[in-house]
Amino acid sequence: MNAGKSATLLQSSYNYQERGMNTLVYTAAIDSRYGVGKVASRIGISQEAHLFYPMSDLFREVSEHLQQQTLHCILIDEAQFLTKDQVYQLTEIVDKLNIPVLCYGLRTDFQAELFEGSKYLLAWADQLEELKTICYCGRKANFVIRMNKQGKAISDGEQIQIGGNDTYLSVCRRHYKEKLNK
């Protein structure tokens, strides 16, 4: 969180469009914090996006879109919410349709467990690039703490709970352990 994933996605989409190329941007339907069907960055930039649901067939949708318009890049925000099947469909888009797919999302949840989409992206991606943010101590933050309404770290709950800085805090491993008394 807070590493600039959405801003980087939006910049990539803009770069393609600036060169007269078409992009197709997706975001998870489950995350409507900034409006339904919108990728938005904390720095104030945004773009309309297609929604993906757990049952969405991304290969079919992209194939259908190709019948209307040439596509030069597919960009996925909140990629941690993809299913295993959808990650496979994205590999088919790359391999069979020859369209690059750029995915942006979290690797792990607040319990330091991989999300399903992240697990298969890590396993099947051609290339991985980590976008970094920092802990309040200045070290690399690669863990996320979920906080209750009083700002206290919690370790129980459903894997998926949509929230921002009011709910989550990006921290280094040491502070993750300290906050959760591990």
Side-chain angles (χ1 to χ4, degrees), residues 153-170:
I154 57 174
S155 58
D156 295 330
E158 295 294 319
Q159 181 181 48
I160 297 173
Q161 178 181 319
I162 304 301
N165 291 342
D166 58 326
T167 308
Y168 294 99
L169 176 65
S170 297

Side-chain angles (χ1 to χ4, degrees), residues 4-35:
K5 295 177 302 300
S6 296
T8 302
L9 178 151
L10 293 166
Q11 181 66 51
S12 295
S13 182
Y14 179 82
N15 288 345
Y16 275 95
Q17 292 169 14
E18 185 178 45
R19 288 158 183 82
M21 297 176 171
N22 300 314
T23 62
L24 188 58
V25 177
Y26 277 95
T27 192
I30 191 172
D31 187 355
S32 60
R33 287 176 292 161
Y34 305 106

